[in-house]
Amino acid sequence: MTMLSLRRRALLSASALVALGTAAPGLAQTADQAGTQSASPVTESQATDATTQDEADPATEVVVTGSRIARPEFDTLQPTQVIGAAQIENRGYTNVGQALTEIPAFGPPGNSGVGAQSSFGPAQTFVDFFGLGTQRTLVLVNGRRFVSSNTASIFGPVAAGTQVDLNNIPTTLVQRVETVAIGGAPIYGSDAIAGTVNIILKRDYEGLSIEGQTGISEQGDAPDNRISVLAGKNFADGRGNIVISGEYNRVSGLVANDRSRTRQGLFFGSPTGDSDFQRVLFPNQRYTAFTSGGVPFSADDALVSRSGIRNAAGQLLQFGDNGTLVPLDLGTPMRQGYISSGGNGFDLPAQTNLLTDSERYLANAQLSYELTDSVRFFGEAWYSHSKGVNLIDQPNYNTWLFDDAGTADGNIILSLNNPYLSAADRATIAANLEPGQEEFYLGRALNDLTTGRSQATVETYRFVGGFDGGFNIGERRFNWEASAVYGRSVTKGRNYELVQQNFANALDAVVDASGNIVCRPGYTSASIETIGSTCAPLNILGSGQASQAARDYIFAIATPRSVNEQLVFNANVTGPIFTLFGNDVNISAGYEHREEKTSFDPGDFYRGEEQEDGSRVQYGRTIPIDPISGKFHTNEVFGELVIPFVSSKNALSWLNTLEFDGAARYVDNSLSGGDLTWTAGGRIGFIRDFTIRGNFTRSIRSPAITEVFNPTSRAFDSGADPCDQRYYQSGPNPAVREANCRAAGINPATFDSNFSNFTIPVTVSGNPNLENEKANSWTVGAIIQPRFARSFTLAVDWINIELKDAITSLGGEDILNACYDSADFPNSFCSLVTRDADGQVTNINEGYYNAASYKTAGLQATAAYRLPLTRVGLDSSGTVGLSVNYFYRDKLETQVGTGDVNHFAGEVGYPRHSGTANLTYESDSFNLLFQARYTGKGEFDIDEADNARNISGVGDWWLFNTTVGVKVNEQFGLKLIVDNVFDKSAPYPVPAGGFGTQTYFSGILGRFFRVSATAKF
């Protein structure tokens, strides 16, 4: 959970062109099969590595992700998809993560530049394969691990783990991106439970390429600009090569009010009258317990209808922007009384980020040199600097909803003698107070002061060095490699935060003897350094009335810092050990040592002020955040075996292919001990055109440093209380849930839980006794490459993953569900919850446990066909290509302990059906791409009761993109890229925030244009 997400919850009750040519698992496939968007299935990036399918040499062998053993291109075991350099170029991607989101099997990214952002890592990009969590997708570069940029704090941008920020990878340098479902753990180790993403860089490049790209939306905003340089040179008679790349990218962001759809402020509210539904869709959400200018109350309250200030005509009042009282229009109030549809209360949906500002500088150098005919040195040097800015988020609030008046978050208590109060307004307020009452209460959103804007800068350094080569044993050729990788990533935040003590001082304004408004003498400032050290009076009445001096006095700059370091040594050897039935039996074996080290320093402000008893108290409105540090190392041995019993060399009349593949890896982790991960499977084909494949894999994920070392930290959380009247009829067995709530002394038919309306305090602790997560996964599928349909490939695979002992930070809602949905009540989860005499939750002991399980299953299908027009008698007319990528999500569910099973398959972000189709044409001087993306219908919450909402979800949605490219001459090319060609709006009603914003962002953004120019020398 993040601070911002918790703050937010407190108030809120394909692959485009993938596998173009082979679509099959054969990865590393020929360029055309790597899913390019060019008319030809051969991608520009892979054309140097492989021939087209029509001319392919069966002996051509490449190393593909999911195996260290080279083999013919289509002979892979796991379902695999490839995105080639041509696709990345044609679609104008500035980030590898953008390309992966167009593969239907990937769920919404755990974090990206779209939507609300964590203040500890805005605009970072982490991908999520099959929706199992970003920490369970392993990202590699050239088959090697890459240092993580994830912040170790529990308030980081994504779940704890060693996720790789794809902002660090320059798209200019990418040759292809291989994605492999499951099967990667025995080859690469921990974290590959869902799958592996391997980014292959261009190698032995020679020449100079300069590209400039600029983009802007049809509405004239969200500009996206990029310039890149790629230069390579062979030397020493071709024995050496050096490649240098540089890339700069700048994106300007958007907020909810920048688009009509999100400006509508759609929300599901609880109507006051009789309704067939618990919540009904309303527009224009407003809050009247607080506003931007402030709502005055005669008593400490949140309901203006009960304690609001009225004028002589009986109208309710609020402070307008200029600091004087104006009418408060309640619109249509909801059941809570302080939430409305319409009116002029606080516009909460407007405090939503749609797209972050981001800026990136990337530099990379690669060197290789053949020391001898059998030994090559290689090296890489990386530097990346990226800055992300979350433009807006929920501000701090002062309201009865959060605490008692006079406390940091409660209503502000103001004197009738406040010097900023006009005489007329003073009289109006006084007329509403009890006789002798000299103070009134103010509910206010501080959005003119604390905007939620936050920024972070990430600097990453990475160095790779090693040797590879080959040697002979007899007539057998073996290849070997030894490498070392060191990476360091530093994330620095810079956020303006309110200092509560100084805020209170500045609020206490009086008039001095000279008639000047000043802070009341005798104040004591907070010990934390603020921008300005001298108290200046703060005018809190109205919006934007605060002086700069007052702003400087009440704000400190928080500077959290997170550091990740990684060191990896790897050595492996691969080759044929003997011949069986005329086929080489190949093995790969190796050793790897890995060290991971993480530290997080919240900085002086977030750490809080230390007290005499050793405790700490916050300077502002956030709880004290604890520092974290920890490290672990692993020693790992691995091996792989491929036994081709029958191949093209010894094919029988009735059996064309029979192969066994197996791999195993033993991981000795200094935190979680030793564990074995392995895979076994094979391929069988009775005819050349049709091959069946399948495998079973045992995968693991070791505990992350945060999950083990996090100290007992305070936090706030909110969610659906299963005993609340809105939720007690949901869950896997509503009758059990209701009975358990009543046994606890709660009447769920009338209970209104504070946990479901606001945040409540919780504690979150690390767990040194965590064990490895374990997953049992299997796939079964077929590859069809009919001889009568040249250049056609169809690959269909069923994928099933069951994860047990999953490490999870048990959130409050998880714990409550596990308690009240169990037939065994009360159980151990119930002891983690504290309720008061009224049944209200007052504390939940959250923390990390091996307590969750995940299950996912689905069908992945890719089909591709390429047609050189010379086949139909059109000379020199180019090539037409068609690729289709489809994913059917049959199951995606999670469970904590024996509690409620949460089903996600079929919800927004995880549709049952999704797909991408690409139609391409390419000739010597012209290329065209037309892409269609389909997103099936989605429910908002599959597990909620039938009468929970009047609109349960959204319908299916189509999106179309296109690229037109012209090759001016051998050196210069131009491209026009149009996203959302038909300006298709997002399906109704997708509210701002959550997976809806990420899934349908192109529909929210609208039609977008990019122009690209490339010069090659």
mmCIF file of all heavy atoms in Angstrom, residues 202-234:
data_model
loop_
_atom_site.group_PDB
_atom_site.id
_atom_site.type_symbol
_atom_site.label_atom_id
_atom_site.label_comp_id
_atom_site.label_asym_id
_atom_site.label_seq_id
_atom_site.Cartn_x
_atom_site.Cartn_y
_atom_site.Cartn_z
ATOM 1 N N LYS A 202 20.764 -5.004 -29.383
ATOM 2 C CA LYS A 202 21.467 -5.111 -30.656
ATOM 3 C C LYS A 202 22.950 -5.342 -30.408
ATOM 4 O O LYS A 202 23.548 -4.737 -29.525
ATOM 5 C CB LYS A 202 21.258 -3.837 -31.471
ATOM 6 C CG LYS A 202 19.814 -3.635 -31.897
ATOM 7 C CD LYS A 202 19.589 -2.310 -32.579
ATOM 8 C CE LYS A 202 18.122 -2.137 -32.954
ATOM 9 N NZ LYS A 202 17.840 -0.807 -33.540
ATOM 10 N N ARG A 203 23.527 -6.210 -31.227
ATOM 11 C CA ARG A 203 24.926 -6.597 -31.048
ATOM 12 C C ARG A 203 25.656 -6.473 -32.387
ATOM 13 O O ARG A 203 25.068 -6.710 -33.442
ATOM 14 C CB ARG A 203 24.987 -8.037 -30.525
ATOM 15 C CG ARG A 203 26.388 -8.616 -30.430
ATOM 16 C CD ARG A 203 26.320 -10.020 -29.863
ATOM 17 N NE ARG A 203 27.586 -10.727 -30.077
ATOM 18 C CZ ARG A 203 27.801 -11.973 -29.710
ATOM 19 N NH1 ARG A 203 26.849 -12.665 -29.106
ATOM 20 N NH2 ARG A 203 28.961 -12.552 -29.940
ATOM 21 N N ASP A 204 26.900 -6.088 -32.320
ATOM 22 C CA ASP A 204 27.725 -5.950 -33.517
ATOM 23 C C ASP A 204 27.122 -4.962 -34.516
ATOM 24 O O ASP A 204 27.226 -5.138 -35.734
ATOM 25 C CB ASP A 204 27.933 -7.312 -34.197
ATOM 26 C CG ASP A 204 28.738 -8.250 -33.317
ATOM 27 O OD1 ASP A 204 29.519 -7.759 -32.482
ATOM 28 O OD2 ASP A 204 28.563 -9.473 -33.449
ATOM 29 N N TYR A 205 26.476 -3.945 -33.979
ATOM 30 C CA TYR A 205 25.885 -2.920 -34.843
ATOM 31 C C TYR A 205 26.998 -2.055 -35.432
ATOM 32 O O TYR A 205 27.973 -1.717 -34.761
ATOM 33 C CB TYR A 205 24.920 -2.054 -34.031
ATOM 34 C CG TYR A 205 24.271 -0.942 -34.820
ATOM 35 C CD1 TYR A 205 23.149 -1.186 -35.597
ATOM 36 C CD2 TYR A 205 24.795 0.345 -34.791
ATOM 37 C CE1 TYR A 205 22.551 -0.167 -36.326
ATOM 38 C CE2 TYR A 205 24.204 1.370 -35.517
ATOM 39 C CZ TYR A 205 23.081 1.111 -36.276
ATOM 40 O OH TYR A 205 22.489 2.122 -36.995
ATOM 41 N N GLU A 206 26.833 -1.691 -36.701
ATOM 42 C CA GLU A 206 27.803 -0.816 -37.337
ATOM 43 C C GLU A 206 27.061 0.247 -38.121
ATOM 44 O O GLU A 206 26.165 -0.053 -38.918
ATOM 45 C CB GLU A 206 28.746 -1.591 -38.264
ATOM 46 C CG GLU A 206 29.877 -0.722 -38.812
ATOM 47 C CD GLU A 206 30.982 -1.545 -39.456
ATOM 48 O OE1 GLU A 206 30.663 -2.653 -39.906
ATOM 49 O OE2 GLU A 206 32.150 -1.087 -39.483
ATOM 50 N N GLY A 207 27.415 1.496 -37.893
ATOM 51 C CA GLY A 207 26.763 2.604 -38.567
ATOM 52 C C GLY A 207 26.347 3.669 -37.577
ATOM 53 O O GLY A 207 26.707 3.633 -36.383
ATOM 54 N N LEU A 208 25.567 4.620 -38.058
ATOM 55 C CA LEU A 208 25.076 5.718 -37.233
ATOM 56 C C LEU A 208 23.606 5.939 -37.554
ATOM 57 O O LEU A 208 23.233 6.074 -38.728
ATOM 58 C CB LEU A 208 25.869 6.996 -37.498
ATOM 59 C CG LEU A 208 25.354 8.280 -36.820
ATOM 60 C CD1 LEU A 208 25.447 8.156 -35.303
ATOM 61 C CD2 LEU A 208 26.138 9.492 -37.318
ATOM 62 N N SER A 209 22.784 5.958 -36.517
ATOM 63 C CA SER A 209 21.352 6.198 -36.691
ATOM 64 C C SER A 209 20.919 7.286 -35.725
ATOM 65 O O SER A 209 21.205 7.219 -34.531
ATOM 66 C CB SER A 209 20.554 4.908 -36.434
ATOM 67 O OG SER A 209 19.168 5.162 -36.492
ATOM 68 N N ILE A 210 20.234 8.293 -36.260
ATOM 69 C CA ILE A 210 19.699 9.389 -35.444
ATOM 70 C C ILE A 210 18.200 9.464 -35.686
ATOM 71 O O ILE A 210 17.752 9.511 -36.845
ATOM 72 C CB ILE A 210 20.358 10.735 -35.806
ATOM 73 C CG1 ILE A 210 21.880 10.653 -35.633
ATOM 74 C CG2 ILE A 210 19.787 11.858 -34.947
ATOM 75 C CD1 ILE A 210 22.615 11.880 -36.132
ATOM 76 N N GLU A 211 17.438 9.456 -34.588
ATOM 77 C CA GLU A 211 15.987 9.492 -34.720
ATOM 78 C C GLU A 211 15.416 10.599 -33.848
ATOM 79 O O GLU A 211 15.831 10.783 -32.702
ATOM 80 C CB GLU A 211 15.359 8.159 -34.319
ATOM 81 C CG GLU A 211 13.832 8.161 -34.424
ATOM 82 C CD GLU A 211 13.190 6.910 -33.844
ATOM 83 O OE1 GLU A 211 13.940 6.074 -33.292
ATOM 84 O OE2 GLU A 211 11.965 6.790 -33.925
ATOM 85 N N GLY A 212 14.480 11.309 -34.402
ATOM 86 C CA GLY A 212 13.728 12.297 -33.640
ATOM 87 C C GLY A 212 12.249 12.011 -33.762
ATOM 88 O O GLY A 212 11.756 11.677 -34.846
ATOM 89 N N GLN A 213 11.541 12.090 -32.655
ATOM 90 C CA GLN A 213 10.113 11.801 -32.667
ATOM 91 C C GLN A 213 9.393 12.804 -31.788
ATOM 92 O O GLN A 213 9.855 13.127 -30.690
ATOM 93 C CB GLN A 213 9.851 10.384 -32.163
ATOM 94 C CG GLN A 213 8.375 10.000 -32.092
ATOM 95 C CD GLN A 213 8.185 8.552 -31.688
ATOM 96 O OE1 GLN A 213 8.549 7.636 -32.429
ATOM 97 N NE2 GLN A 213 7.633 8.322 -30.505
ATOM 98 N N THR A 214 8.266 13.301 -32.271
ATOM 99 C CA THR A 214 7.466 14.216 -31.471
ATOM 100 C C THR A 214 6.006 13.824 -31.595
ATOM 101 O O THR A 214 5.555 13.377 -32.656
ATOM 102 C CB THR A 214 7.666 15.672 -31.926
ATOM 103 O OG1 THR A 214 6.912 16.558 -31.073
ATOM 104 C CG2 THR A 214 7.213 15.889 -33.364
ATOM 105 N N GLY A 215 5.287 13.962 -30.498
ATOM 106 C CA GLY A 215 3.880 13.596 -30.502
ATOM 107 C C GLY A 215 3.042 14.562 -29.697
ATOM 108 O O GLY A 215 3.545 15.222 -28.774
ATOM 109 N N ILE A 216 1.762 14.645 -30.051
ATOM 110 C CA ILE A 216 0.848 15.520 -29.328
ATOM 111 C C ILE A 216 -0.570 15.011 -29.539
ATOM 112 O O ILE A 216 -0.890 14.410 -30.576
ATOM 113 C CB ILE A 216 0.985 16.983 -29.811
ATOM 114 C CG1 ILE A 216 0.323 17.943 -28.812
ATOM 115 C CG2 ILE A 216 0.416 17.154 -31.218
ATOM 116 C CD1 ILE A 216 0.707 19.385 -29.020
ATOM 117 N N SER A 217 -1.419 15.216 -28.569
ATOM 118 C CA SER A 217 -2.797 14.767 -28.684
ATOM 119 C C SER A 217 -3.583 15.717 -29.591
ATOM 120 O O SER A 217 -3.162 16.851 -29.851
ATOM 121 C CB SER A 217 -3.465 14.716 -27.312
ATOM 122 O OG SER A 217 -3.840 16.016 -26.884
ATOM 123 N N GLU A 218 -4.718 15.239 -30.059
ATOM 124 C CA GLU A 218 -5.559 16.078 -30.910
ATOM 125 C C GLU A 218 -6.037 17.328 -30.183
ATOM 126 O O GLU A 218 -6.338 18.348 -30.800
ATOM 127 C CB GLU A 218 -6.752 15.275 -31.416
ATOM 128 C CG GLU A 218 -7.566 15.977 -32.485
ATOM 129 C CD GLU A 218 -8.649 15.087 -33.050
ATOM 130 O OE1 GLU A 218 -9.609 14.792 -32.317
ATOM 131 O OE2 GLU A 218 -8.530 14.676 -34.229
ATOM 132 N N GLN A 219 -6.069 17.251 -28.842
ATOM 133 C CA GLN A 219 -6.487 18.405 -28.058
ATOM 134 C C GLN A 219 -5.328 19.355 -27.763
ATOM 135 O O GLN A 219 -5.481 20.318 -27.025
ATOM 136 C CB GLN A 219 -7.143 17.940 -26.756
ATOM 137 C CG GLN A 219 -8.390 17.108 -26.988
ATOM 138 C CD GLN A 219 -9.163 16.832 -25.707
ATOM 139 O OE1 GLN A 219 -9.169 17.641 -24.787
ATOM 140 N NE2 GLN A 219 -9.828 15.681 -25.656
ATOM 141 N N GLY A 220 -4.157 19.057 -28.314
ATOM 142 C CA GLY A 220 -3.041 19.966 -28.204
ATOM 143 C C GLY A 220 -2.262 19.879 -26.906
ATOM 144 O O GLY A 220 -1.528 20.807 -26.564
ATOM 145 N N ASP A 221 -2.397 18.758 -26.197
ATOM 146 C CA ASP A 221 -1.667 18.621 -24.935
ATOM 147 C C ASP A 221 -0.954 17.282 -24.874
ATOM 148 O O ASP A 221 -0.913 16.533 -25.847
ATOM 149 C CB ASP A 221 -2.599 18.812 -23.732
ATOM 150 C CG ASP A 221 -3.807 17.871 -23.773
ATOM 151 O OD1 ASP A 221 -3.786 16.904 -24.569
ATOM 152 O OD2 ASP A 221 -4.770 18.099 -23.015
ATOM 153 N N ALA A 222 -0.379 16.972 -23.720
ATOM 154 C CA ALA A 222 0.362 15.730 -23.484
ATOM 155 C C ALA A 222 1.472 15.513 -24.499
ATOM 156 O O ALA A 222 1.643 14.407 -25.030
ATOM 157 C CB ALA A 222 -0.582 14.525 -23.464
ATOM 158 N N PRO A 223 2.285 16.538 -24.812
ATOM 159 C CA PRO A 223 3.374 16.339 -25.771
ATOM 160 C C PRO A 223 4.356 15.277 -25.298
ATOM 161 O O PRO A 223 4.632 15.147 -24.115
ATOM 162 C CB PRO A 223 4.041 17.718 -25.854
ATOM 163 C CG PRO A 223 3.685 18.393 -24.568
ATOM 164 C CD PRO A 223 2.318 17.892 -24.219
ATOM 165 N N ASP A 224 4.862 14.514 -26.263
ATOM 166 C CA ASP A 224 5.784 13.410 -26.002
ATOM 167 C C ASP A 224 6.911 13.515 -27.034
ATOM 168 O O ASP A 224 6.678 13.346 -28.231
ATOM 169 C CB ASP A 224 5.040 12.081 -26.139
ATOM 170 C CG ASP A 224 5.891 10.876 -25.787
ATOM 171 O OD1 ASP A 224 7.123 11.016 -25.760
ATOM 172 O OD2 ASP A 224 5.320 9.798 -25.556
ATOM 173 N N ASN A 225 8.108 13.820 -26.582
ATOM 174 C CA ASN A 225 9.227 14.045 -27.500
ATOM 175 C C ASN A 225 10.393 13.127 -27.167
ATOM 176 O O ASN A 225 10.666 12.861 -25.991
ATOM 177 C CB ASN A 225 9.695 15.500 -27.430
ATOM 178 C CG ASN A 225 8.591 16.472 -27.809
ATOM 179 O OD1 ASN A 225 8.097 16.449 -28.929
ATOM 180 N ND2 ASN A 225 8.186 17.318 -26.874
ATOM 181 N N ARG A 226 11.050 12.677 -28.205
ATOM 182 C CA ARG A 226 12.191 11.781 -28.011
ATOM 183 C C ARG A 226 13.233 12.029 -29.089
ATOM 184 O O ARG A 226 12.900 12.298 -30.248
ATOM 185 C CB ARG A 226 11.759 10.322 -28.061
ATOM 186 C CG ARG A 226 12.911 9.347 -27.813
ATOM 187 C CD ARG A 226 12.467 7.915 -27.941
ATOM 188 N NE ARG A 226 12.035 7.584 -29.292
ATOM 189 C CZ ARG A 226 11.988 6.354 -29.785
ATOM 190 N NH1 ARG A 226 12.313 5.330 -29.029
ATOM 191 N NH2 ARG A 226 11.588 6.126 -31.026
ATOM 192 N N ILE A 227 14.490 11.940 -28.701
ATOM 193 C CA ILE A 227 15.583 11.939 -29.656
ATOM 194 C C ILE A 227 16.557 10.847 -29.236
ATOM 195 O O ILE A 227 16.810 10.652 -28.042
ATOM 196 C CB ILE A 227 16.282 13.316 -29.733
ATOM 197 C CG1 ILE A 227 17.344 13.300 -30.834
ATOM 198 C CG2 ILE A 227 16.874 13.716 -28.395
ATOM 199 C CD1 ILE A 227 17.881 14.674 -31.169
ATOM 200 N N SER A 228 17.073 10.114 -30.202
ATOM 201 C CA SER A 228 17.965 9.002 -29.877
ATOM 202 C C SER A 228 19.082 8.924 -30.905
ATOM 203 O O SER A 228 18.917 9.310 -32.068
ATOM 204 C CB SER A 228 17.204 7.672 -29.840
ATOM 205 O OG SER A 228 16.677 7.361 -31.120
ATOM 206 N N VAL A 229 20.198 8.402 -30.436
ATOM 207 C CA VAL A 229 21.367 8.211 -31.283
ATOM 208 C C VAL A 229 21.910 6.812 -31.040
ATOM 209 O O VAL A 229 22.039 6.372 -29.888
ATOM 210 C CB VAL A 229 22.460 9.258 -30.984
ATOM 211 C CG1 VAL A 229 23.688 8.995 -31.838
ATOM 212 C CG2 VAL A 229 21.935 10.669 -31.220
ATOM 213 N N LEU A 230 22.205 6.110 -32.103
ATOM 214 C CA LEU A 230 22.811 4.779 -32.013
ATOM 215 C C LEU A 230 23.988 4.742 -32.970
ATOM 216 O O LEU A 230 23.847 5.009 -34.167
ATOM 217 C CB LEU A 230 21.794 3.697 -32.377
ATOM 218 C CG LEU A 230 22.301 2.252 -32.400
ATOM 219 C CD1 LEU A 230 22.734 1.822 -31.002
ATOM 220 C CD2 LEU A 230 21.219 1.314 -32.932
ATOM 221 N N ALA A 231 25.161 4.441 -32.439
ATOM 222 C CA ALA A 231 26.372 4.414 -33.263
ATOM 223 C C ALA A 231 27.171 3.156 -32.961
ATOM 224 O O ALA A 231 27.304 2.753 -31.799
ATOM 225 C CB ALA A 231 27.236 5.648 -33.010
ATOM 226 N N GLY A 232 27.682 2.509 -33.990
ATOM 227 C CA GLY A 232 28.471 1.310 -33.803
ATOM 228 C C GLY A 232 29.609 1.246 -34.808
ATOM 229 O O GLY A 232 29.510 1.759 -35.926
ATOM 230 N N LYS A 233 30.686 0.597 -34.404
ATOM 231 C CA LYS A 233 31.860 0.530 -35.269
ATOM 232 C C LYS A 233 32.614 -0.760 -35.020
ATOM 233 O O LYS A 233 32.888 -1.126 -33.877
ATOM 234 C CB LYS A 233 32.777 1.726 -34.982
ATOM 235 C CG LYS A 233 34.069 1.735 -35.765
ATOM 236 C CD LYS A 233 33.837 1.931 -37.256
ATOM 237 C CE LYS A 233 35.163 2.040 -38.014
ATOM 238 N NZ LYS A 233 34.952 2.136 -39.478
ATOM 239 N N ASN A 234 32.926 -1.460 -36.085
ATOM 240 C CA ASN A 234 33.830 -2.600 -35.999
ATOM 241 C C ASN A 234 35.272 -2.101 -36.071
ATOM 242 O O ASN A 234 35.560 -1.083 -36.713
ATOM 243 C CB ASN A 234 33.585 -3.582 -37.149
ATOM 244 C CG ASN A 234 32.258 -4.299 -37.011
ATOM 245 O OD1 ASN A 234 31.800 -4.555 -35.902
ATOM 246 N ND2 ASN A 234 31.643 -4.617 -38.143
#
